[in-house]
Amino acid sequence: MRSLPSPRWRRQATAALALVAVSGALASGTAYAADYERLVNGSFSAGSADPWWASAGVSNRVTNGELCATVTGGTVNPWDSLIGQNGVPFEAGQSYTMSFDAYASVARPAAAVAGEGVSPYRQIAKHDVALTTTKQHFTFTFTSELDFPDAGPGQVTFHLGAQAADTTVCVDNVSLVGGVKPPGGDPANPPKKINVNQVAYVPGLPKQATLTSDALTAQTWALKNSAGTTVATGQTVPKGSVDPESGDSTHLIDFSSYDTAGTGYTLTVGTETSFPFDIATDQVKKLRYDSLAYFYHNRSGIPIEAQYVGEQYARPAGHLNVAPNQGDNNVPCLATITCGYTLDVRGGWYDAGDHGKYVVNGGISAWQVLNTYERAKLIGDAAALGDGKLNIPEKANGVPDILDEARWEVEFLLKMQAPDGMVHHKIHDQNWTGLPLLPHQDPQARRLSATSTAATLNTAAVAAQAARIWKTIDPTFSAKALAAATKAYAAAKANPNKIADPNDGTGGGSYSDATLTDEFYWAAAEMFATTGESTYRTDLTSSTHYKGKSLTTRGFDWGSTGPLGDITLALVPNGLPAADVAAIKSAFTGVADSLLTQMAGQAYPAPYRPTEGYDWGSNGLVANNISVLALAHDFTGAAKYRAGVFQGLNYLLGRNPMSYSYVSGYGDQAVKNVHHRHWANQLDPTLPNAPAGALSGGPNSALQDPIAARLLTGCKAQKCFVDHIEAYSVNEVTVNWNSALAWIANWAAEKVTTAPPVDTTAPSTPGTPVASDITTTGAKLTWTASTDAESGVKEYDVISVEGDALRVVATVTSPSATLTGLRPDTAYSFTVVAKNGANLRSAMSPQASVRTKPDVVAGYCKVTWQASSWSTGMSVNVTVTNTSAQAWNGWKLEFTMPGNQKITQGWSATWAQSGQAASATNLSWNRTLAPGASTGIGFNSSGSGSTTPPTDFRVNGNPCTAG
């Protein structure tokens, strides 16, 4: 994840000669078709240049609300030096007006150009201007002969080259207005009404989906196989309130009882149908390897070969000093830093959609990949992660492939260590590069940022972890890693507050973190687990993070690393007291229980609910919280945590309000247009989309890029997402989000082949029911909830005790039930039994005695019925009169509908009908009726049979006279 914007620039700018050679269709005085602004951030009012990019030899900055470009002199052609914006939509045959303010440090020419940003670089229009040192306003109108969609290859640039000396050009109020289609328009893929895990539900586990519907009553669902045959049906459960995270009114569809493996299932409700899905385990097992393949795809300093990834993803090595690269083998520090040396930092993983390599993000990523193996070796299935399991060059070297992949990053982290033991925070381009741009085509100079305490502790932690894992695999490498870890830890202790500069965000994200106690705790945990030395033990046990104190329901990430130390201490044998290790494990189960409780109340369950909106990289936080559920299962064996893991995966794989699988290549509507410089098919059709197994960052309420801000303003938290390559704050991919996905995918693949533990313990006995809201025909019962540590409490049966007979009168999922249909003035005895996920039943609760209220009040009401009927229905006006001596503060009219009439429309009341039982409940404006007062209501119905007025009118349970 970047903390600053990422400008974009086209590949092979020198080929722009072809662009200039094609004349644009300039028009004079032609009115534009619609006032649609095509450019983003043309005013630069937010202080950012994003998404305007600069080519090599040009440096952008925003000063006093203007974009000023420093242009290096000595270039041959005007198009050798550019600033521009990609993804600009144009419509063939439509008129456009471009305007801008501009001036320069010296009088000089420039040109504003609209055209195509990739080969063959066709030009739409070009307007030459003469800049002076005084700001001028320029405008020109043209008609486009080319058609480029949103986020396509359309482009606007300023040609600033062909000057002998260095100059500065400033532009402001850049606008391109015209066309008839609004940018963004309607979503390319509107959300489904039925949202499912688009990949696979696992046999033997809960299977649930979400229906978006305003219906207040249960709806019938049908599960159909690939042939379209209905194999199961049931009733939805209305959630009863609008879901705050999506804004949707929803129903739950639970088809857990159907467990036949197969492919191509769909769910239908009425005319709505879900995306297809499987009931199987194969795709879950495949995801473990696809998610790990992400890292080879993003290796730096090595060719990515077709034999491992296929022809479309193969590419030359990047950043090896092969032109136009300036390379990573001899990288100096930033000009603002005096370090006196260069470093060879070839290798490692490109961090995200850019070409930067960041130690604090690489640290957690490498750690999670290594921990995936270490956990499996200690308590899981390490055989599935052995040599030959991944398609990488090292797949036949006798070392588990997952370790080979992680080592590519660990070696890079060690190279980032300075002579004094501190570690440089990051290495990336001197200026931002743009999309699309393959690594081997990057012409920018590379620079090291300053060392930081956070980077140093990340390296200490990961190097100590690596030393432990490679101790018997490669003793030499293990010793090298431990030496680096020891030196880094000591350097960090000597420099405990060297914070990365939050303003160091040109060419790469700053990744600044002002709180380092969690990194110190994590590093101490790894050093102690590897060495057992007392110094590290003291640092560890004296930390405020000790024993799981930093675990929260928000989740952990690169800036919150304390839980990584907890995971190591809970898994790796060490010399800590057993009670302390138990306390760490208890912290995981405590947070896991909170996550399960939270998910139970969500329409689209995800183990993540921040207090204010969703964060950048919310899917990474979801994935890390899924790992907390997984570890809680590891520590307890409780089936409820295992079920929670797969419920969280359901969200990532399609059961969300956007109807997207956030994992590329998985599901019928998987993300394709992730923000990435060489998975950029949306901008350049010759480049591929993301390969299978890449996790998109997902919804981000802050909308921290111009495209998201343009398209998603006002979105609910889970709907702040668009599958758009330029929307980097919601659709970027990174090594640390994919390391989280790889961890949970490997855990899930392991567990689908492992039978869940058998729950043999019944739930605890529910508390004594307490009655309230007693009426003539009903009452509300509440009781203290049961508990069940293994499979969880699934539901409660409310039982009427009638002599020696027991009768279930209600089944509910929460410790409260509203009973109806009781007899007036009658004594009842009720008890409650809990049932868990293994269908084991608790003992009966103590009984509660309830007597309903007496029957009726004489002379309570009068009802007048006036009907106009026809062959297929009728229209009825009803007058309800209060004939009692007391005012009504709320009323409900009930009666039996004549014939087979069904209410189709009602007014002046809330109407409901079940079978032929009909009712009308007051609205707010006619809620109160004084003695003698009346209100008029009515309805239309369809049907046939008798239209004779009903004879059983009742208001609030009291019989009425018919007028």
Side-chain angles (χ1 to χ4, degrees):
M1 182 190 75
R2 270 184 254 85
S3 57
L4 283 179
S6 168
R8 297 88 168 105
W9 69 295
R10 69 184 183 204
R11 296 186 301 133
Q12 301 171 344
T14 54
L17 177 62
L19 184 151
V20 177
V22 182
S23 62
L26 289 175
S28 60
T30 305
Y32 49 80
D35 290 332
Y36 290 129
E37 177 59 63
R38 301 284 153 177
L39 298 179
V40 176
N41 190 25
S43 67
F44 313 105
S45 57
S48 167
D50 185 57
W52 295 86
W53 46 260
S55 68
V58 181
S59 179
N60 274 347
R61 68 186 187 281
V62 174
T63 305
N64 298 323
E66 300 171 335
L67 175 63
C68 292
T70 300
V71 184
T72 303
T75 55
V76 176
N77 303 299
W79 53 87
D80 290 341
S81 300
L82 303 169
I83 58 174
Q85 185 172 135
N86 288 352
V88 180
F90 289 98
E91 302 159 50
Q94 295 300 318
S95 177
Y96 296 87
T97 295
M98 183 172 179
S99 61
F100 56 94
D101 300 331
Y103 64 96
S105 57
V106 297
R108 54 153 298 164
V113 180
E116 186 173 24
V118 298
S119 180
Y121 303 104
R122 293 169 293 175
Q123 182 173 285
I124 296 172
K126 178 174 179 284
H127 186 65
D128 294 306
V129 297
L131 301 181
T132 68
T133 57
T134 302
K135 183 184 293 186
Q136 302 176 78
H137 182 71
F138 302 96
T139 183
F140 65 104
T141 300
F142 60 91
T143 298
S144 177
E145 295 178 350
L146 302 178
D147 198 69
F148 296 132
D150 281 302
Q155 183 184 75
V156 165
T157 57
F158 289 94
H159 288 190
L160 306 177
Q163 299 297 297
D166 294 356
T167 58
T168 297
V169 175
C170 297
V171 297
D172 194 8
N173 301 316
V174 187
S175 173
L176 179 68
V177 174
V180 295
K181 299 177 184 177
D186 295 328
N189 300 303
K192 287 274 192 180
K193 295 295 185 182
I194 303 174
N195 285 300
V196 298
N197 176 332
Q198 297 173 24
V199 180
Y201 290 90
V202 174
L205 284 171
K207 303 174 191 68
Q208 296 177 335
T210 302
L211 167 69
T212 303
S213 172
D214 294 328
L216 300 179
T217 57
Q219 307 291 298
T220 300
W221 59 261
L223 176 66
K224 298 182 179 181
N225 62 20
S226 58
T229 303
T230 298
V231 294
T233 61
Q235 295 291 301
T236 67
V237 179
K239 295 291 285 187
S241 61
V242 174
D243 176 50
E245 287 156 304
S246 66
D248 290 343
S249 297
T250 62
H251 293 216
L252 172 69
I253 300 174
D254 192 327
F255 58 106
S256 303
S257 60
Y258 188 83
D259 217 31
T260 301
T263 61
Y265 289 102
T266 54
L267 281 167
T268 63
V269 177
T271 60
E272 302 293 340
T273 301
S274 72
F275 283 115
F277 56 88
D278 298 347
I279 297 177
T281 61
D282 289 349
Q283 288 288 83
V284 178
K285 296 175 185 178
K286 181 176 181 289
L287 180 58
R288 79 190 319 170
Y289 300 120
D290 283 343
S291 59
L292 285 168
Y294 176 96
F295 300 98
Y296 175 66
H297 277 278
N298 286 280
R299 284 190 191 183
S300 176
I302 187 175
I304 306 305
E305 300 182 57
Q307 62 178 309
Y308 306 118
V309 297
E311 289 291 343
Q312 65 175 328
Y313 293 107
R315 58 176 174 83
H319 299 102
L320 288 184
N321 287 58
V322 177
N325 281 176
Q326 299 187 41
D328 286 354
N329 69 331
N330 194 30
V331 182
C333 292
L334 288 169
T336 55
I337 303 166
T338 302
C339 63
Y341 54 81
T342 62
L343 292 181
D344 180 352
V345 291
R346 288 174 290 180
W349 299 322
Y350 295 120
D351 175 78
D354 59 19
H355 298 144
K357 298 183 290 189
Y358 308 85
V359 170
V360 295
N361 218 35
I364 186 174
S365 305
W367 183 92
Q368 282 187 305
V369 174
L370 290 173
N371 184 258
T372 299
Y373 171 80
E374 188 168 37
R375 180 211 153 270
K377 186 169 183 284
L378 291 168
I379 62 172
D381 177 19
L385 298 170
D387 192 28
K389 295 296 185 179
L390 299 180
N391 280 326
I392 58 176
E394 303 87 353
K395 67 178 182 178
N397 66 354
V399 176
D401 288 342
I402 190 171
L403 297 185
D404 289 323
E405 188 57 68
R407 184 166 174 170
W408 192 260
E409 179 70 5
V410 175
E411 295 271 20
F412 160 74
L413 297 178
L414 300 185
K415 292 178 179 179
M416 291 289 283
Q417 190 165 34
D420 64 357
M422 294 291 283
V423 176
H424 287 275
H425 200 68
K426 54 181 182 165
I427 178 261
H428 53 65
D429 291 319
Q430 189 169 15
N431 291 293
W432 281 105
T433 58
L435 283 71
L437 183 69
L438 272 73
H440 70 285
Q441 295 169 337
D442 176 12
Q444 292 279 356
R446 308 280 276 178
R447 293 292 182 266
L448 292 166
S449 289
T451 59
S452 72
T453 307
T456 305
L457 290 167
N458 267 261
T459 299
V462 175
Q465 178 194 33
R468 183 171 67 241
I469 292 172
W470 267 275
K471 187 173 184 179
T472 58
I473 298 172
D474 185 341
T476 300
F477 176 62
S478 173
K480 175 185 175 183
L482 184 57
T486 303
K487 187 175 183 180
Y489 191 87
K493 292 271 285 188
N495 299 275
N497 294 302
K498 191 171 185 184
I499 307 300
D501 182 1
N503 298 313
D504 180 12
T506 301
S510 64
Y511 282 96
S512 184
D513 180 7
T515 302
L516 302 177
T517 54
D518 52 324
E519 280 85 2
F520 271 108
Y521 175 70
W522 172 33
E526 298 298 341
M527 295 296 292
F528 175 69
T530 298
T531 69
E533 293 181 9
S534 59
T535 300
Y536 304 125
R537 177 177 181 144
T538 299
D539 289 350
L540 173 70
T541 58
S542 62
S543 171
T544 57
H545 298 278
Y546 187 46
K547 295 190 288 190
K549 294 299 192 300
S550 57
L551 271 169
T552 70
T553 55
R554 179 193 176 269
F556 55 88
D557 56 16
W558 67 267
S560 177
T561 57
L564 308 185
D566 292 318
I567 293 170
T568 289
L569 296 176
L571 290 173
V572 178
N574 56 66
L576 292 175
D580 288 6
V581 175
I584 293 171
K585 293 181 178 179
S586 180
F588 280 89
T589 57
V591 171
D593 284 333
S594 296
L595 293 172
L596 291 180
T597 299
Q598 164 206 302
M599 293 166 72
Q602 292 177 304
Y604 305 92
Y608 172 70
R609 178 178 280 168
T611 54
E612 294 184 7
Y614 271 35
D615 293 313
W616 189 323
S618 64
N619 282 344
L621 292 163
V622 168
N624 284 331
N625 272 343
I626 291 174
S627 73
V628 172
L629 293 167
L631 288 162
H633 176 81
D634 284 343
F635 299 153
T636 67
K640 63 180 179 179
Y641 302 126
R642 177 174 179 260
V645 168
F646 287 93
Q647 191 175 39
L649 281 169
N650 290 346
Y651 171 84
L652 294 178
L653 295 173
R655 190 188 172 194
N656 56 66
M658 298 307 293
S659 305
Y660 269 101
S661 167
Y662 290 123
V663 179
S664 60
Y666 280 77
D668 273 29
Q669 186 162 286
V671 293
K672 296 190 301 182
N673 304 311
V674 301
H675 179 79
H676 196 275
R677 276 163 176 69
H678 51 276
W679 299 335
N681 179 266
Q682 194 176 16
L683 291 174
D684 184 347
T686 66
L687 294 176
N689 287 314
L695 178 64
S696 166
N700 172 11
S701 300
L703 307 181
Q704 291 164 278
D705 66 77
I707 298 300
R710 169 186 266 179
L711 300 179
L712 300 172
T713 298
C715 56
K716 293 292 185 180
Q718 285 188 345
K719 290 185 176 178
C720 294
F721 176 80
V722 61
D723 184 26
H724 192 298
I725 192 171
E726 301 277 10
Y728 53 82
S729 71
V730 300
N731 205 30
E732 190 174 29
V733 290
T734 75
V735 284
N736 61 309
W737 300 335
N738 245 74
S739 62
L741 176 65
W743 197 105
I744 61 175
N746 277 274
W747 191 96
E750 179 184 294
K751 295 303 178 183
V752 297
T753 59
T754 304
V758 177
D759 187 352
T760 59
T761 305
S764 65
T765 304
T768 305
V770 176
S772 62
D773 300 338
I774 300 172
T775 65
T776 57
T777 59
K780 182 179 180 180
L781 297 179
T782 57
W783 56 91
T784 302
S786 298
T787 59
D788 188 277
E790 289 77 31
S791 55
V793 176
K794 180 180 179 182
E795 59 192 16
Y796 300 90
D797 284 340
V798 180
I799 300 169
S800 175
V801 181
E802 300 169 357
D804 294 333
L806 301 176
R807 179 170 62 94
V808 176
V809 294
T811 299
V812 293
T813 57
S814 60
S816 175
T818 299
L819 308 181
T820 59
L822 305 181
R823 298 182 298 276
D825 199 22
T826 302
Y828 289 89
S829 290
F830 296 108
T831 184
V832 179
V833 172
K835 185 163 56 177
N836 68 10
N839 292 320
L840 298 175
R841 299 172 68 85
S842 73
M844 290 190 294
S845 73
Q847 294 182 22
S849 297
V850 179
R851 176 173 286 276
T852 54
K853 291 183 178 180
D855 195 352
V856 296
V857 177
Y860 189 78
C861 50
K862 177 182 177 181
V863 176
T864 300
W865 173 286
Q866 294 180 325
S868 300
S869 62
W870 53 89
S871 60
T872 59
M874 61 180 178
S875 181
V876 179
N877 288 298
V878 178
T879 302
V880 180
T881 303
N882 179 0
T883 58
S884 72
Q886 300 293 325
W888 298 348
N889 184 24
W891 52 266
K892 182 178 182 180
L893 170 67
E894 297 173 281
F895 58 92
T896 302
M897 184 70 75
N900 63 2
Q901 297 285 330
K902 302 292 183 185
I903 295 174
T904 58
Q905 180 187 19
W907 54 88
S908 300
T910 300
W911 290 89
Q913 184 174 353
S914 178
Q916 294 310 109
S919 67
T921 304
N922 63 270
L923 301 179
S924 59
W925 61 268
N926 61 1
R927 174 183 180 85
T928 302
L929 287 182
S934 300
T935 186
I937 60 177
F939 65 89
N940 294 329
S941 65
S942 62
S944 58
S946 172
T947 57
T948 303
T951 59
D952 62 345
F953 293 114
R954 302 172 306 285
V955 171
N956 296 339
N958 298 287
C960 304
T961 59

